[in-house]
Amino acid sequence: VIDSPDIPLNVSRSYLQGDPNVKKINAHITKKVADKLEEIFNKERNEFEEKWESLGLFVKYGMMTDDKFLEKANKFFVMQDSAGKFYTLDEYKTATETTQKNKDGKQVILYTTNPVQQDAFIQQATAKGYFVVKMETLVDAAFINSVEMKWNDFIFTRVDADITDNLIDKTETAESI
């Protein structure tokens, strides 16, 4: 419950959505939630990862809708790979630095939307040394589209998008004159 003397008691929802005081309160709450999540992540990472299945959906939605939350969440956003290990964005980048970069120098995040149905593709990719993360929640399709525009150094590729040898485009194209 938040009490504010600056907000009238009887107002419409549309009035509140445009009210600058409500926007300030929203920004403050968003900052506090992000700070608390980062604190939990830093102090009790194992517990944070255990709760990620129920927490991740809301974190991803917040990252899509609020750029300030996105900046803070980049520190504690985790992705679970097909083997069950969790990686932050920086940890994933470090782990895949040599194997999962395309010809443009962008880090390729291989993902699966259904680990059971795409198991054969996951096995082929992991046999090649690639890391495949799970993106199977309701918001993941929109999340991927949103963060691909905001994370300039990363692109997402579904593990069954092509044969394993072509998932990460490392070949230089010949320029035509």
Side-chain angles (χ1 to χ4, degrees):
V1 175
I2 298 173
D3 186 22
S4 174
D6 299 329
I7 300 173
L9 291 175
N10 296 321
V11 291
S12 67
R13 183 190 308 198
S14 61
Y15 171 79
L16 284 179
Q17 289 173 339
D19 189 293
N21 293 317
V22 173
K23 289 181 181 180
K24 287 178 190 173
I25 292 170
N26 182 24
H28 184 72
I29 291 171
T30 302
K31 180 185 177 310
K32 287 294 188 186
V33 168
D35 290 344
K36 186 64 176 174
L37 287 171
E38 184 178 358
E39 178 186 325
I40 293 169
F41 175 77
N42 290 332
K43 289 183 179 178
E44 304 158 2
R45 181 165 176 170
N46 288 337
E47 289 181 32
F48 184 86
E49 289 173 356
E50 289 172 9
K51 295 174 182 159
W52 183 252
E53 188 175 335
S54 57
L55 189 64
L57 177 76
F58 300 104
V59 171
K60 290 173 187 175
Y61 181 75
M63 291 172 79
M64 289 187 306
T65 57
D66 189 338
D67 287 341
K68 288 182 182 176
F69 185 80
L70 173 72
E71 288 175 27
K72 290 190 168 286
N74 284 339
K75 298 173 190 167
F76 58 81
F77 170 72
V78 291
M79 299 176 286
Q80 185 178 21
D81 72 4
S82 56
K85 185 176 180 197
F86 286 90
Y87 296 90
T88 63
L89 210 50
D90 289 336
E91 292 167 349
Y92 188 86
K93 187 174 185 175
T94 303
T96 62
E97 189 75 41
T98 56
T99 56
Q100 289 181 221
K101 269 199 171 177
N102 68 7
K103 67 181 179 198
D104 300 324
K106 290 188 176 189
Q107 204 75 32
V108 178
I109 299 176
L110 294 176
Y111 70 95
T112 176
T113 55
N114 189 327
V116 175
Q117 288 182 349
Q118 297 168 342
D119 185 59
F121 297 101
I122 295 169
Q123 296 302 324
Q124 290 172 356
T126 53
K128 225 170 151 62
Y130 296 152
F131 291 80
V132 181
V133 296
K134 296 178 186 175
M135 292 284 183
E136 53 189 344
T137 65
L138 295 170
V139 299
D140 279 330
F143 174 75
I144 289 169
N145 288 335
S146 175
V147 296
E148 263 189 333
M149 289 185 276
K150 297 172 184 175
W151 294 341
N152 296 327
D153 298 338
F154 292 92
I155 62 167
F156 288 80
T157 303
R158 208 165 101 172
V159 74
D160 63 347
D162 204 341
I163 61 170
T164 308
D165 293 336
N166 295 343
L167 283 175
I168 299 171
D169 185 15
K170 295 183 179 187
T171 58
E172 296 291 330
T173 55
E175 292 184 27
S176 59
I177 298 176

